[in-house]
Every structure is written in C-alpha cells, then in structure tokens.
Amino acid sequence: KYLKEHNYNSITPDQLLDYMQKGKPLPDNPVLITFDDGYVDNYTNAYPVLKQYGLNATIFLISHYIGWQGYLPWPEIYEMQNNNITFEGHTYDHPQLSKVKDDNELKRQLHDSKIDLQNHLGYQVDYLAYPYGDYDQHVISLVKEYGYRAAFTVNLGDDAASDDVYTLNRVPVFQIRKHTFFKF
C-alpha cells in the first residue's frame, strides 16, 4: 500500500540489469520487490497484496525445499508465475556459500539447482540471492561461470548503474527485526 500510494513502480531483475548494463530507462520511482527462500506465506500473504496493488515481485527459491512443509509447492509457483511473479535461484539447500570448500558441492548449490529450476519454470534462471547474504570472491567467480547475470546480497543500500552486479544491495525488511521497516 505504501509503495502504491507513493507512486513507486515495481520492476523486474531484468529491468534493473538492463538499466545498469545497457542504460535502458526505468520507470519513475522504481523498486524491485524480492522475497528469499520461497516460503508458503509468499503465496498466502504477499501474493494477494501484490495482486491487489498491481505490483510484481521476484521470489528466490531454494530448489530442494520446493514442496516441503512451509515452502511453496509447484502448483502455487506456477499460478504466481502466470501473475507477474518471477522466480530465481537461492541455491539447492541454503548453505553459507563461502564456507563450502568443495567445488563439486558448490556446483550442486549454484549450477544444478539452477538447471532444476529452469526445467520446471521453463525459462533461463539468471539471478541468485546469496543465502544469508554470504559470498566470497570464489563464489562470485562460480556464479559468473554458471551463467548468472547478477546476484543479490542482504547488504543495506540502493544500487547504481556503476555497482558490481554480483554484489547487489537490497533494503531488507525482516518481521522479527522491527527497525528494518524504519530503514525501508
């Protein structure tokens, strides 16, 4: 409601990257709305509100958790996908990526989960949200190698055209931390 009343326009990750990399214009007051993990409350709570206000959003899915109790199942994902919600990657099972020292395990987390999502979603998964916002230079190199166009942290801040697309900032709003809405 706040975003709509203050004339914000929701955008997609593609629009953000096209602006950053190609100089394509964004609408006035652009905002990229994102959710991490793919909890079922994205469908029961957020999705109806997004539809009510005509806003799109991006949900970063943990591929192995899809359909588990508390996480989105495929039928709801497909419904949302048909109604202005995009889905992108959030790894296979949500580890702190900088602590994973086995490259085969990093491949499973970053590449194999991406391929699985693409097979179900029917489109190229181009974006990753780092679990816990955790990454290092080795992880970034693999994110690039596996064909992600950009990656998102949980670092507080706006993004400018000159920013590194593999360490994009966000403005986290956590229900359990009341001060984060003030930062928003």
Side-chain angles (χ1 to χ4, degrees):
K1 182 178 177 185
Y2 176 91
L3 294 173
K4 217 42 170 170
E5 287 177 351
H6 290 84
N7 299 312
Y8 282 88
N9 292 289
S10 58
I11 62 170
T12 66
D14 280 340
Q15 287 175 287
L16 175 63
L17 266 287
D18 287 347
Y19 162 75
M20 293 179 76
Q21 295 176 327
K22 301 174 186 174
K24 289 189 177 181
L26 290 171
D28 292 337
N29 301 318
V31 61
L32 176 59
I33 302 169
T34 63
F35 299 89
D36 286 3
D37 303 332
Y39 293 119
V40 74
D41 67 0
N42 295 166
Y43 179 80
T44 58
N45 298 350
Y47 176 55
V49 174
L50 292 164
K51 279 178 41 176
Q52 177 183 350
Y53 292 104
L55 299 168
N56 61 45
T58 299
I59 298 173
F60 294 100
L61 296 170
I62 305 167
S63 65
H64 185 62
Y65 293 175
I66 294 170
W68 285 26
Q69 183 176 356
Y71 290 88
L72 289 167
W74 284 113
E76 281 80 356
I77 291 169
Y78 294 140
E79 178 186 336
M80 295 167 74
Q81 183 182 4
N82 289 327
N83 289 284
N84 298 319
I85 308 298
T86 58
F87 295 91
E88 298 293 339
H90 199 41
T91 71
Y92 178 77
D93 63 3
H94 206 267
Q96 287 187 263
L97 292 172
S98 71
K99 302 214 182 327
V100 178
K101 300 306 177 193
D102 178 4
D103 277 358
N104 287 326
E105 178 59 18
L106 282 170
K107 181 178 187 277
R108 181 172 79 123
Q109 295 295 334
L110 298 169
H111 178 266
D112 297 354
S113 65
K114 177 183 195 239
I115 299 302
D116 186 44
L117 289 174
Q118 288 175 174
N119 288 338
H120 282 91
L121 295 169
Y123 60 81
Q124 180 77 24
V125 170
D126 285 328
Y127 304 98
L128 175 76
Y130 298 113
Y132 311 101
D134 180 66
Y135 61 93
D136 60 19
Q137 288 306 309
H138 181 63
V139 169
I140 291 172
S141 72
L142 292 176
V143 169
K144 291 177 184 179
E145 179 181 329
Y146 296 140
Y148 288 95
R149 191 172 173 199
F152 293 84
T153 70
V154 292
N155 298 336
L156 177 65
D158 295 332
D159 293 301
S162 60
D163 288 345
D164 182 345
V165 298
Y166 292 97
T167 58
L168 293 171
N169 300 310
R170 294 192 280 177
V171 179
V173 178
F174 297 107
Q175 181 179 9
I176 59 171
R177 298 182 198 143
K178 300 298 181 192
H179 69 282
T180 59
F181 188 75
F182 174 75
K183 289 180 182 179
F184 165 78

